[in-house]
Amino acid sequence: MPGLQFNEPLSWRAGKPIAVVDLLRRLQSLSREMRDMDQEEEQRDSFTKVAKELINPNLIAHKDKGVKALTASCLVDILRLCAPDAPYTGQNLRVRTRQKEEQRADIFNLIITQILPALADPSNAYNNQHLYVLSSLAQVKSILLLTDIPSAEILLKNVFQICFDVLSSSSRSLQGDQLRKDVEINMTAMLVCLVDECTTLPPEVVDIIVAQFLRTDPKVMSGTTSKSKKNGVVDEKQSTLTLRQLPPAYNMARYICNAVPERMARHFSQYFNDIIVDASTASQEKAPRKSKKKHSDGADNSDDDLAGPTEEDLKELRKVHGLLRELWRACPGVLQNVVPQLEAELSAENVQLRLLATETFGDIVSGIGAAGLPAPPTMDPAAYPSNALSDPSENTVSLNLLTKPSSPQPFISAHPQAYTSYLGRKHDKSPLIRAAWTTGIGRILTTSAGGAGLSQQDEDRLISDLCRMLADLDDKVRVAAVRVVASFNFRDIITKLGRAGGVTESGSVLNTLADRIRDRKHPIREEAMILLARIWGVAVGELAAGNEQISALVGGIPSKILNTWFTNDNEIMALLDRVFFEQLLPLRYPSVKAKGSKLANGHSQSTGGNSEETMDPDKIRIERILLLARDLDERAKRVFYTMQARQQVLYRNMTAYLMHCENYNGGVIDGSEPDVKKPLTTSIQTFAEWLPNPSQASADLWKFVKMHDRRSYQLIRFCMAPDSDYRTMIRAMKEFTKRITDPPASMAASSGLLDTLMPLIYRVSLIIYNKSHVPAIMDFSRTDEKSLAATAHETLRDISSVTPEVLKAHVQEICKTLQDEVPSAQKANEAGAVDNLKACASFAAKYPKEVPQDRKFVQAMTSYALYGSPPEAAKYAVSVIWAASDKKEMLIRDLAQKCTEGFDYGREGLLARLATLSQLVLLAPNELDEQHTDAIIDIAIKQVLLQVRQPSNKPTDAYEWSSTVDTEAQAKCWALKILINRIRSHPEIETLPEVAAPVYSLLFKLIDQLGEVSPASNTPPTHKTRLRLLAARLYLKLCTSKAHDALLTPSAFNVLATVVQDSVKPVRVGFIHRLKKYLNAQKLPQRFYTIPFLLAFEPSDALRSDTVTWIKSRATVFSSVKAQSSSSKANIVLESTFARLLSILCHHPDYDSGAEDLVDFARYIIFYLQNVATEDNISLIYHIAQRVKQCRDAILAAGSAEPDAPSASEADDRLYHLSDLAQITIRKFEDLHNWTIQTLPGRIRLPSTLFMEVKSHTEAQRIAERNYLPESVETGIEELLKAMVRAAKGMGKKRKSEGDHHVDGRDAKKTKGGLPIRKASGPKVAKGKKAASSKVAKTPKSKKKQAGDTDLGSGERRRSGRVKEVEKSYAERDSDEDDEEMQMMDAAAEDEAEVTDSASEDHGSAKENLNEEGEEEYRVEDDHDDAEEGTKEGAAVEDELAPKTAPKSKKNKPSASPRAKKAPPKNKARQIIRRAAARGKANAKKNTNNNDDDDELSDPPGSE
C-alpha cells in the first residue's frame, strides 16, 4: 500500500527560512495526513525523511507557538505510526546539555516544556494540537520512551510537576474556560504508565505526588495560594464554604496511587521511613538536654528527661501525619507498609511522638483527612420545635467533601494488630496521650469508623472505654471525654451512648457524665453541666411527646443538675443559675424564625400550625417548665421550688440595695455619709457572699454603685416586678446587659461586671412565676394535656404561697371557675379545685379587696367548707371567707352551727366539716361562743379521736405504715388538729398552761405509746404510725411559739426526739423533714438542733446523707453569721447543742454502761464531731464535755413516778459516763486530725433545765478524779475511728477521678472497713443484769411475718432495734479532712438563700413556705400567730450558755405533760423494735414504694 504522500520540505538552509505561513500550512497538511493513517497499513520507510526533518532544531526551537504545536503533533504521530520501533535513537530522544545556542532540543523536551504547560490555557489557538499530543502520549503510551532515555530523572520530575501544575491552575481559575475533563483523564493515564514502567521513581517525583494530598489541608494551602495570609492562618469566614468536588490534581494523585498500589506502597514506605523513623531515632539518640518547650503537667519525668524532636522536626512530623490521614482516605493500599511504622511510633519514648501517632491513628480509623472534622453538630436548646429522632436534619451528612469522614476500607479488619496496639494507649502513663486517645475513640464512634461501620462488640467496647475516660484520674482526660460526648449529635447520643443506659443507670456514659457536674475542677463541671442541660433541652420535644425511651435516658438530667444545689459551692451555684436559664429553660425559648423559614430541626415553621400567628409562646414555655418539674426527683423538686422562693427573699434584698445605690448618688451624698454607706456596704457584702469570688464581686458591685445608672436601676426593677409580663422582663434584661457591656459615653466600661451581676439578675427576676405563665398553668391544670395537670396544680399551689401577686390579673377567673365547680352533698368538686382555693386564699390574705364578695361567691365558699374534697379544700374556703368577706362573723357562726348541729360520723362531708372546724378554731376563736366551742371539742375527742370504728385484730404492738389513708385515720388527724389549733389561737398567755395541759398530755401519749390512743389498745397499726407522726409534727408547730415551747418539758422533749429513730422509715423521714423546715426558717429554739444527731445509726443512706448535708449547711449559715455578727452567743449554736446531746443520750432508752454499749454510743458523738467539729471549735466542744461532768442531771433530780425510770443517782452516773466517753472520743478525734485542744478561760454555763451544779466540793472532786469508763472502751473507740478512716480510704482508692464522688456515699456499703453494726440481741457477758434484761426483751417467734412497713429488718436505727447485717455500713464517708482528696464532695446548703445577712427580717419568713418533703402547707392559717412564733434564734443562745444570773427555774411553771419517763421503757422499746424488725423483711417487697420513695410519704390530708 502507498505510504506517506506528503513531500514538501520542512527544513531549510541557514539564511533561507521557510515563511511561517507556508510552514504552518505544510505542517498542518502533514498532521492531517498522518492523523488519518493507521499503524499497520502504512509503510514505515516512508516516514524516514519526515521524521528526520521534524527533529530539526529549526522546527523544534521555532519561535512561533503554532509551528511548535504542529511539530509536536506530527512527532507524536510519527511515534505512533512507527511503534514499537521508534525512528529515533536514544540520542535523539534524550535531553542534551546546552553548550551552544545552536544546540538542538529533543522531542520530549519540546513536549514537556512547551506543549504540556500550554494545556493550562484552553483558549489557546492551538489547544486542539496540544490536546492531541497529550491524547497520543497517553493512548499510544509513547510516553514510555521517556524511560529509555539515559538520565531521564529530570524529565520525569518535570512531566509530573507540569501535569499537576496544569490541573491545579485549572482548579484555582475563577474565570475563563475550564479544562476539559479528558485533559485530567489523559494526564492521569500517562503518569500511571510512567509509574508502572519505572523501576524506581526519583524522590522528587514521590514528593510531587505526595504534595497533592496536602491540597485538602486549608492550613497548608492558605500559605501557598494567598499572599495576604501569613503563617498558614485560615480565614474563618471561608470555613463555611462548601467544596462540591475534589481538586483535579488531588484526584489524579489518588488515581495514580490506587492504580499501582504495590509500586506506590514501596515508594511511600521509603518516603515516610525517612521522616518518621529518622525523627524517632534522632529523638532517642540525642543527648539529654533542657527543652525550651513546656511539658505537660501530666507527663512523667522520664518523658521530660528525653530530648525530643525540635520544633522544626515536630512541624514536619505534623505535616507528615496529616498526609497519612489523607492518604488513608484517598488510597489506603499504599500505606500497607507505613502502618507498621506508625504502630511502632505508638511505643516511642517521647511523648510528642506518641501523641502524634495516637492522634493520627484515631483520625485514620475515623476516616478524617487533612482538612479536619466537619462542623460540630448544633444542638440549640432554645430552638422550637425541638430536635426529634426522626428529624431529617439529624441524618444530614457533611456536604464538604474534604471534611466528610470517609474510610475506603475498614481499618480495624485491614490492620487488626495496629488497631489493638492503638486501643492499648488508653493505659498510657501520660494524660496527654490518654486525652488524645479519648478524642480519637470519640471520632471513631461519631463517624462509625469513617463510614465503614463498627461491629456491635467494637462499638460497645469503645463506649465502655469512653465511660472509663470520663472518670479518669487526670482532669485533662476527663475534660477531653466530656468534649467527646459534646461532639455527638442528638441521635447518636440516644442510639449509641444511650445503649449503655440512661443518666440514672450506674456505669453508663450518661450517668458518668452526670457525675462530672460535681467534679473538683470547675472547667469540667461547667462543660459537663452545660452539655447535659443542652442534651435535655433538645430532647424536650420527644419528652413532651411521651417517648419513654428518651425519658428513661435523659429524663433525670434536670434532677442531677439541680441536686448540685446541695454542694453549697458558690461557683457551682452561679453555674447552676446560668445553665438553668440558658440551657434548661432558655430565656429566648421558644426561638422561632420568620414565617416559612427553616427551623433548627429542618422543619418549616409555617407547617403543623406552628406559625407565629397561631403559636402561644407562653404556653410552649410553660409546657417545658412543667415537663422539667414533673420529672424531678424529690430532692431536685425541693430545689426547684426553693429557687422560686429564693426570688422573693432576694427581691427584698435587691430592692434595698437599689435604694441604697440611689441614696449614695454616685458618691455625692446628701446628709451623713456613714448612715448612707453602712447599709450599702452590708447589702454588698450579703450579695458578694453568694458569688464565686466574694472580693471581686464586692469590687464589681461597688463599681456598679459608682456608675449610678438610674436606667439600670429601673431595668432591674422591671425584671423583679410582679406586674411585668415575660416580654417586658426579657427586654429589660437585654437592655441591662447592653448597658453594662456597652455603657453610654458618660459611664466607663467595666470588664467582668456583667459576670458578677447576671447571676443576681437571674435570681431576682420573676422568670418562672411570671404573670404571663399563669393562664397556661391554669389551662394545663384543667385539661391534663400531656399528663401535666398534677404538676400544674403543684406549681399553682406554690405560686399562691410564694408570689400570690402574680395572680392579681387572674383571680377573677379562678373565682369563676370555683363557682362553676361548687360541690354539694350529691356532687363532688373537681380535683383541681383545692389548688384554686389555695391560690385564692393566699391571694385573699394579701389583697382581700380584690376577691369577689358577691353572694354567689360566698355561697360557693360555704359549699366548699361543708362538702369540699379533699378536706383541705374546706380549710382554704374558710380562709377565703375569713379574709375577704364583709360579713365573716355571721358566716363563721353559721358554718360552726352547720358543722356541729346533729354531727353524725357517717354523714356526707365528714372530713370537710372537721377541716372547717379546725380552721374556725384557729382563725376565729372569738367569734365562736362557748356552746360552739364545747361542741367542737366534744366532736374531736369523744366522737372521733377516742373511737375505734374498725378495730384491729392484729397484736397490740403491731405498728405499720400504709401509703393510703382511710377515712377514719384522716378524721382522727383532723380531730387532733382541732385540739392543737384551739390552743394555738388561745389569746391569754396566763391561762395557756392550764388550757394546753390536756393537749400536751395527749401528744405525749401518742408519741410515747407509738400512736395508741384508744383505751382498749385496738387502734389499727396503720393509724398509729400516722398519729405518732402527726403528734410529733404538731409538737414542732406548737414550739414555733415561745409561749408554747415553754410548756414542752425536757423529759417530753427527750420522748419527742426518739421519733427520729422510729422503726418505720416514713415516720422518720416525715418528722426530720418537718424539723429541718422549721429550723431553716429559724422558728424553733436551738435545743431542736440536737435531734438530727440521733441519726447516727440511720439505715437509710438517702436520709442520713440528706441530714449530713443539712447539718453542714446550717454550719455554713452560722459561720456566715459569725463573720457579720459581733455577738459571741450567735456563733456557737451547734457547739452548744453538744451538752443537750449528752443529756438526751443519758435518758436514751438504749443506754447501758457496758463497754460494748458505750462504744456504740460513741458513734453518736463521732457523728456529731464529723459534722460540726473544726479546728477552731474543737476546744469549745471539749470544754462543754468537761463541764457536763461538773454537773448533775436536773431532769430526774426530784425523782420520777415512772417505775422504769432510773434514779437520780443513776442518771448522774450515766451523765458522767457519757462525759468521759465524749472527752476520750474528742481527744482521739483530735489526734486523728492533728488538731490541738486549747484551754478556754472561764466557765460555760449549761442549760439549767437539764443540768444542776454539784453542791459539795468534795463530791465534785471525787467525780472529777474518777474515770467512769471500762478499760476496753478506749480501745473500742480507737478501732471505731480506724474503721472510719479505712472506710474513707477504701472509697478513695478506687480508680476514679478526683471529682468522681457520690454525694450520698452509696459506694461505701461495699467498703471492707465499714463500721460494725450493733447486735440486736444476745446475752452480755459483762453484766448479768443485762443478760436477764435480754431475756425479758426476747422477741416471740413468728412463723408468718406480719404486714407492716418497718424498713429496719436488716439494720435498725438504734441499738435496741439493730440486727447484724454484713452489707450495711454506717461509716462516715467524708469526715477525715486529711483524706479529702478521696472523699465525696461536701454537699452542703439545702437552701442557699439562707446564707444572707442575719439582719434581714424577711429571711426566715420566706423559707416558711417551703415544704421540704414535697407536701403542701397552707400559709394563711399561720398568719395570725407568726408574730409570736417567728423567734430569731441566731442572736440568742437561750439557756445553752446562760448569763451570769441564772434564769428562774422552769420547774415551777405548770407542766402540761407527765413527769419524765423513758419513752418507751428500755425493755418495751426492744420488744417493739425487734418485732418491727422481724416484720420488716416480710413486708419489704409489699411496701417498697412506701419506704424508698419520699414521694409516697404523704401526710394525712390537712396535716397542717
Side-chain angles (χ1 to χ4, degrees), residues 325-526:
R325 294 176 172 93
E326 194 59 42
L327 283 171
W328 179 263
R329 280 167 45 93
C331 43
V334 303
L335 297 180
Q336 56 185 341
N337 298 328
V338 179
V339 171
Q341 299 175 16
L342 190 61
E343 180 186 353
E345 197 176 11
L346 285 172
S347 302
E349 290 294 330
N350 184 266
V351 176
Q352 294 298 332
L353 294 179
R354 294 205 312 275
L355 179 62
L356 279 175
T358 304
E359 292 173 343
T360 303
F361 260 113
D363 287 349
I364 286 177
V365 180
S366 305
I368 297 171
L373 287 165
T378 56
M379 294 195 299
D380 184 8
Y384 180 81
S386 302
N387 291 30
L389 288 180
S390 58
D391 192 340
S393 66
E394 286 291 327
N395 298 320
T396 303
V397 297
S398 173
L399 298 177
N400 191 329
L401 294 177
L402 297 184
T403 59
K404 177 184 176 181
S406 174
S407 182
Q409 66 183 45
F411 183 91
I412 299 175
S413 58
H415 302 279
Q417 182 178 351
Y419 181 68
T420 302
S421 299
Y422 170 69
L423 292 181
R425 287 302 95 199
K426 64 185 176 184
H427 300 298
D428 198 287
K429 60 184 177 181
S430 171
L432 290 177
I433 308 300
R434 298 201 303 274
W437 184 85
T438 303
T439 303
I441 65 169
R443 293 177 177 180
I444 295 172
L445 286 169
T446 55
T447 63
S448 294
L454 288 168
S455 68
Q456 190 69 48
Q457 180 181 359
D458 289 333
E459 188 170 286
D460 291 342
R461 178 179 180 179
L462 292 179
I463 292 175
S464 176
D465 288 337
L466 175 59
C467 182
R468 176 180 176 177
M469 293 299 104
L470 280 167
D472 193 89
L473 287 173
D474 194 274
D475 58 288
K476 301 181 188 67
V477 183
R478 298 199 302 275
V479 74
V482 172
R483 290 169 182 170
V484 162
V485 180
S487 67
F488 285 70
N489 59 33
F490 177 61
R491 174 183 293 276
D492 286 343
I493 290 174
I494 299 302
T495 59
K496 293 182 180 179
L497 302 184
R499 196 164 58 244
V503 72
T504 58
E505 187 171 345
S506 179
S508 67
V509 174
L510 294 176
N511 179 264
T512 311
L513 176 65
D515 289 341
R516 297 281 62 76
I517 64 179
R518 295 177 179 272
D519 200 281
R520 285 171 51 83
K521 302 290 184 179
H522 182 71
I524 301 177
R525 293 197 300 260
E526 182 176 10

Side-chain angles (χ1 to χ4, degrees), residues 804-1018:
E805 299 86 352
V806 301
L807 299 174
K808 185 177 294 186
H810 313 284
V811 67
Q812 297 296 331
E813 181 182 355
I814 295 175
C815 294
K816 186 178 183 303
T817 302
L818 290 173
Q819 292 179 23
D820 297 338
E821 300 174 355
V822 62
S824 63
Q826 294 77 30
K827 171 190 170 185
N829 53 270
E830 295 291 333
V834 64
D835 301 316
N836 291 334
L837 280 166
K838 181 178 181 182
C840 187
S842 299
F843 184 83
K846 254 190 174 181
Y847 308 101
K849 300 299 181 182
E850 302 289 337
V851 178
Q853 299 182 9
D854 57 278
R855 182 180 178 183
K856 185 177 180 181
F857 179 73
V858 173
Q859 289 178 345
M861 292 298 102
T862 303
S863 297
Y864 278 108
L866 296 175
Y867 305 105
S869 176
E872 285 87 352
K875 174 175 123 177
Y876 300 144
V878 174
S879 298
V880 173
I881 294 174
W882 176 257
S885 177
D886 292 336
K887 303 177 181 178
K888 53 188 174 185
E889 292 82 2
M890 180 186 69
L891 294 173
I892 291 298
R893 286 192 291 270
D894 184 57
L895 279 175
Q897 183 68 24
K898 291 180 179 179
C899 291
T900 56
E901 186 176 7
F903 180 85
D904 184 7
Y905 182 85
R907 187 178 177 184
E908 186 67 29
L910 166 68
L911 297 180
R913 295 169 189 267
L914 290 175
T916 297
L917 293 176
S918 172
Q919 199 70 353
L920 289 178
V921 297
L922 175 68
L923 300 180
N926 297 329
E927 279 68 26
L928 299 175
D929 54 32
E930 186 176 353
Q931 180 183 358
H932 286 151
T933 302
D934 293 341
I936 293 173
I937 299 302
D938 181 77
I939 290 172
I941 298 177
K942 296 182 179 181
Q943 300 189 45
V944 177
L945 198 57
L946 297 181
Q947 296 294 325
V948 179
R949 290 174 172 82
Q950 297 177 357
S952 173
N953 55 3
K954 296 182 180 181
T956 56
D957 60 349
Y959 189 69
E960 303 169 0
W961 180 269
S962 174
S963 59
T964 58
V965 189
D966 58 30
T967 302
E968 183 179 359
Q970 294 184 60
K972 289 183 178 180
C973 290
W974 283 110
L976 192 58
K977 286 173 174 255
I978 291 174
L979 302 179
I980 299 302
N981 286 343
R982 177 171 171 265
I983 62 173
R984 287 178 63 202
S985 61
H986 188 72
E988 300 177 2
I989 300 297
E990 294 77 8
T991 59
L992 178 62
E994 180 182 355
V995 174
V999 179
Y1000 272 68
S1001 297
L1002 177 62
L1003 294 178
F1004 183 91
K1005 180 180 179 181
L1006 285 171
I1007 296 175
D1008 182 54
Q1009 298 185 5
L1010 300 180
E1012 182 60 73
V1013 68
S1014 170
S1017 299
N1018 58 352

Side-chain angles (χ1 to χ4, degrees), residues 568-584:
N568 197 35
D569 183 284
N570 287 340
E571 205 167 25
I572 295 180
M573 299 293 285
L575 174 62
L576 173 61
D577 290 320
R578 182 158 64 91
V579 169
F580 191 80
F581 294 113
E582 295 178 7
Q583 305 294 334
L584 288 177

Side-chain angles (χ1 to χ4, degrees), residues 175-325:
Q175 57 184 0
D177 298 331
Q178 296 291 321
L179 283 180
R180 289 167 47 175
K181 186 66 177 177
D182 57 351
V183 174
E184 179 183 344
I185 295 173
N186 288 325
M187 280 188 173
T188 304
M190 180 180 66
L191 297 183
V192 168
C193 291
L194 286 173
V195 174
D196 193 29
E197 185 68 21
C198 292
T199 305
T200 59
L201 285 178
E204 295 83 359
V205 174
V206 178
D207 290 344
I208 292 171
I209 296 175
V210 169
Q212 307 313 310
F213 294 99
L214 292 175
R215 295 182 181 278
T216 59
D217 190 346
K219 295 180 180 179
V220 174
M221 297 308 297
S222 63
T224 59
T225 60
S226 177
K227 296 181 180 179
S228 62
K229 298 174 183 176
K230 300 179 180 180
N231 301 325
V233 178
V234 183
D235 186 359
E236 293 182 358
K237 296 180 180 179
Q238 300 298 319
S239 63
T240 59
L241 298 179
T242 301
L243 187 64
R244 298 294 180 180
Q245 61 183 4
L246 293 170
Y250 176 93
N251 280 331
M252 185 165 67
R254 180 179 64 174
Y255 187 85
I256 292 171
C257 294
N258 288 324
V260 283
E262 294 81 7
R263 288 186 178 272
M264 292 306 300
R266 186 174 64 253
H267 296 308
F268 278 19
S269 177
Q270 184 62 39
Y271 175 83
F272 288 106
N273 184 73
D274 295 341
I275 298 175
I276 296 178
V277 177
D278 291 349
S280 301
T281 305
S283 67
Q284 298 178 31
E285 291 179 351
K286 291 179 182 179
R289 57 182 173 81
K290 292 184 178 179
S291 175
K292 295 182 180 179
K293 184 180 183 299
K294 293 183 178 179
H295 293 281
S296 165
D297 295 338
D300 288 3
N301 294 334
S302 59
D303 295 330
D304 295 340
D305 294 339
L306 292 174
T310 63
E311 288 293 338
E312 294 180 0
D313 292 340
L314 284 175
K315 184 177 181 181
E316 186 65 23
L317 282 171
R318 293 189 187 99
K319 182 178 177 181
V320 169
H321 285 77
L323 273 173
L324 291 176
R325 294 176 172 93

Side-chain angles (χ1 to χ4, degrees), residues 1076 1079-1082 1089 1109-1120 1134 1388-1391 1394 1403:
K1076 291 189 291 187
L1079 288 174
N1080 281 342
Q1082 297 181 336
Y1089 278 103
T1109 297
W1110 179 83
I1111 293 172
K1112 292 182 178 179
S1113 76
R1114 300 310 300 166
T1116 302
V1117 171
F1118 295 132
S1119 177
S1120 65
L1134 293 180
E1390 183 156 2
D1391 189 349
E1394 294 173 356
H1403 180 90

Side-chain angles (χ1 to χ4, degrees), residues 1146-1443:
C1146 171
H1147 296 276
H1148 198 282
D1150 290 338
Y1151 179 84
D1152 189 87
S1153 58
E1156 183 181 351
D1157 294 273
L1158 289 174
V1159 172
D1160 237 6
F1161 267 59
R1163 296 170 70 176
Y1164 288 109
I1165 300 172
I1166 293 175
F1167 183 70
Y1168 172 88
L1169 295 175
Q1170 287 171 334
N1171 295 291
V1172 176
T1174 64
E1175 188 173 7
D1176 296 330
N1177 65 11
I1178 190 69
S1179 300
L1180 176 60
I1181 297 173
Y1182 185 75
H1183 185 64
I1184 292 174
Q1186 288 180 319
R1187 283 284 296 124
V1188 169
K1189 198 173 181 181
Q1190 300 170 9
C1191 300
R1192 296 180 58 198
D1193 179 70
I1195 298 178
L1196 299 178
S1200 173
E1202 297 295 332
D1204 294 330
S1207 63
S1209 60
E1210 184 180 352
D1212 294 340
D1213 284 344
R1214 290 184 176 189
L1215 207 57
Y1216 304 148
H1217 276 84
L1218 290 171
S1219 175
D1220 284 344
L1221 181 68
Q1223 293 179 53
I1224 191 172
T1225 305
I1226 294 172
R1227 288 198 300 269
K1228 298 297 182 182
F1229 195 82
E1230 169 212 15
D1231 294 339
L1232 185 66
H1233 292 78
N1234 295 321
W1235 294 341
T1236 302
I1237 295 179
Q1238 305 292 335
T1239 302
L1240 298 182
R1243 296 176 61 186
I1244 295 178
R1245 295 185 63 86
L1246 302 181
S1248 59
T1249 55
L1250 304 179
F1251 304 98
M1252 56 189 299
E1253 295 291 341
V1254 179
K1255 298 180 179 179
S1256 171
H1257 176 73
T1258 303
E1259 180 68 13
Q1261 187 70 20
R1262 183 189 63 81
I1263 295 171
E1265 293 176 352
R1266 178 183 172 186
N1267 181 10
Y1268 285 80
L1269 297 180
E1271 295 181 357
S1272 60
V1273 169
E1274 183 173 0
T1275 304
I1277 294 175
E1278 289 179 352
E1279 292 298 325
L1280 202 60
L1281 291 172
K1282 288 178 182 179
M1284 176 192 70
V1285 175
R1286 287 196 301 268
K1289 290 184 177 180
M1291 290 176 54
K1293 287 182 180 179
K1294 296 179 182 179
R1295 195 180 190 280
K1296 294 184 178 181
S1297 68
E1298 294 177 359
D1300 189 21
H1301 306 302
H1302 299 280
V1303 172
D1304 53 8
R1306 285 170 174 77
D1307 285 349
K1309 64 182 179 181
K1310 302 178 181 179
T1311 305
K1312 182 177 180 181
L1315 296 182
I1317 305 300
R1318 282 295 307 275
K1319 297 180 180 179
S1321 61
K1324 297 291 180 77
V1325 180
K1327 295 181 68 175
K1329 180 180 178 181
K1330 190 64 180 178
S1333 177
S1334 298
K1335 291 182 179 180
V1336 175
K1338 184 175 180 180
T1339 304
K1341 296 181 180 180
S1342 175
K1343 295 182 180 180
K1344 184 176 180 180
K1345 298 180 181 180
Q1346 301 294 329
D1349 183 14
T1350 58
D1351 57 353
L1352 307 180
S1354 59
E1356 271 64 43
R1357 85 280 183 274
R1358 53 178 177 167
R1359 175 207 153 202
S1360 60
R1362 295 190 302 276
V1363 297
K1364 185 175 182 180
E1365 182 188 357
V1366 177
E1367 290 81 358
K1368 282 290 180 182
S1369 171
Y1370 298 96
E1372 288 300 312
R1373 278 83 169 174
D1374 56 346
S1375 62
D1376 190 354
E1377 295 180 2
D1378 296 328
D1379 295 318
E1380 182 181 5
E1381 297 269 317
M1382 299 176 290
Q1383 298 309 302
M1384 299 176 298
M1385 294 181 65
D1386 286 337
E1390 183 156 2
D1391 189 349
E1392 187 213 54
E1394 294 173 356
V1395 190
T1396 59
D1397 188 358
S1398 60
S1400 175
E1401 296 181 358
D1402 298 321
H1403 180 90
S1405 59
K1407 291 297 174 187
E1408 189 174 319
N1409 301 324
L1410 301 180
N1411 193 319
E1412 294 193 302
E1413 62 253 71
E1415 65 181 326
E1416 296 306 322
E1417 177 178 352
Y1418 183 45
R1419 181 67 185 86
V1420 176
E1421 68 173 330
D1422 294 333
D1423 287 347
H1424 300 277
D1425 51 14
D1426 275 352
E1428 297 178 0
E1429 297 175 0
T1431 58
K1432 296 289 182 177
E1433 299 298 331
V1437 194
E1438 204 195 359
D1439 56 358
E1440 267 79 0
L1441 296 176

